[in-house]
Amino acid sequence: MDSSTNDVIRDCPPFFKVYKDGRVERYFVTQPVPAGLDRTAGVQTKDVVISPAVKARIFMPQSTTPGQKLPLLVHYHGGGFSIGSAFDTVTYKVVAPLVKQANIVVVSIDYRVAPEHPLPIAHDDSWVGLQWVASHANGQGPEPWLNDNADPSRIFLAGESAGANIAHFVAVLAGATKLVGLKIRGMLLVHPYFGTGEPNDNELDKYVCPTSTEFDNDPIVNPAADPKLKEMACERVIVLVAEEDGFRNRREAYYETLTKSGWRGKVEFFETKGEGHCFHVVIDNHNTEVLKNKMVDFINKDI
């Protein structure tokens, strides 16, 4: 056996390493949560197939009122575009409390991840997911849970880290293509990832998105370079950042970019002091509760 096949040709901690023989090993493997009724969390979940490549998990409150349509939040998970899923413990920890406390329906889109599926596949899959959600606008879509319980006139987009990047991307595309059927009331971007801003410090970006050669001019990591930004189909945005996040300056730059872009919506900025990037997915403390309540308040403000 050729021992060189065990040579690591690309190491991208804390996400993955790639071996010479093509194997991908992830530093962190998330654990799945079975779909069904969770009486403790007060939510019920169901998994659906959107396309051969794209799946999703629907979250609903444990009990609903017949005939009542609830706001619908479309969620995109984080993980450096390379780890995580809509079906794992991290997504459950983030989404389930919002479903119960805000009394909403959530569709978490399970997009394909890099490096096996390099960008922009994740963004393309996520757009397919939003179009599938829009297919329920007339109450005749393929999924009864959405037809019966989701209000297409009260749509929110959300994501954390890479997922927030994707949420922004699909919101811009929804506006640029004039997506029919959904009224996107708000977008919640939790510690959004828009690159490092350093040309020599983009190894992960370069590897997961090999088609992009000039990252500062790529709208995926630099919204300021997107001529379609002002067309973003969203009325309100909240940018949530963490004081100790190494890329906090990029989140703040995004906030400033939106305010100057010509986009006609309103943008808010909220900073959690003393915490790092996506702290809320790994710890439960007072700041985690404050962040969750801020998100719930943002949603409820529009209901």
Side-chain angles (χ1 to χ4, degrees), residues 24-262:
V24 176
E25 179 181 331
R26 287 176 168 79
Y27 282 93
F28 178 68
V29 179
T30 58
Q31 299 301 312
V33 176
L37 176 61
D38 184 344
R39 297 186 185 279
T40 302
V43 302
Q44 52 185 324
T45 56
K46 178 181 184 180
D47 296 341
V48 295
V49 175
I50 294 175
S51 75
V54 185
K55 301 175 178 61
R57 172 162 288 183
I58 304 175
F59 294 73
M60 287 208 326
Q62 178 179 333
S63 59
T64 57
T65 302
Q68 180 186 16
K69 296 294 185 75
L70 303 177
L72 172 62
L73 184 146
V74 182
H75 170 263
Y76 300 98
H77 69 82
F81 306 110
S82 57
I83 61 174
S85 84
F87 314 115
D88 66 19
T89 54
V90 174
T91 294
Y92 204 87
K93 175 181 171 62
V94 170
V95 169
L98 294 179
V99 172
K100 181 179 181 181
Q101 191 166 333
N103 196 36
I104 58 175
V105 178
V106 173
V107 177
S108 186
I109 305 297
D110 194 57
Y111 55 86
R112 289 171 290 176
V113 296
E116 297 93 334
H117 305 284
L119 299 183
I121 289 176
H123 296 75
D124 295 340
D125 287 351
S126 298
W127 174 239
V128 168
L130 187 62
Q131 291 176 299
W132 178 82
V133 170
S135 73
H136 297 80
N138 62 0
Q140 302 296 318
E143 175 46 53
W145 274 23
L146 298 190
N147 291 330
D148 297 340
N149 299 284
D151 184 350
S153 71
R154 293 185 291 172
I155 301 295
F156 293 84
L157 304 178
E160 58 279 351
S161 193
N165 174 298
I166 291 172
H168 162 85
F169 173 88
V170 297
V172 173
L173 194 54
T177 62
K178 296 179 171 52
L179 180 66
V180 175
L182 303 181
K183 187 173 180 59
I184 302 175
R185 298 290 188 90
M187 183 162 60
L188 303 92
L189 304 183
V190 185
H191 311 166
Y193 178 75
F194 290 112
T196 66
E198 300 295 332
N200 297 322
D201 190 28
N202 270 334
E203 289 306 310
L204 176 63
D205 292 334
K206 292 174 183 177
Y207 195 68
V208 301
C209 190
T211 60
S212 182
T213 56
E214 297 185 26
F215 282 92
D216 205 42
N217 295 320
D218 187 342
I220 285 181
V221 291
N222 183 16
D226 192 347
K228 302 186 296 293
L229 178 59
K230 64 183 180 181
E231 300 179 57
M232 187 166 69
C234 181
E235 296 178 354
R236 297 185 296 124
V237 173
I238 185 168
V239 182
L240 302 122
V241 305
E243 182 184 29
E244 303 300 326
D245 189 333
F247 302 134
R248 179 193 179 283
N249 63 320
R250 296 291 281 183
R251 337 291 188 206
E252 190 167 0
Y254 173 78
Y255 167 79
E256 294 171 352
T257 294
L258 272 190
T259 62
K260 301 173 183 177
S261 67

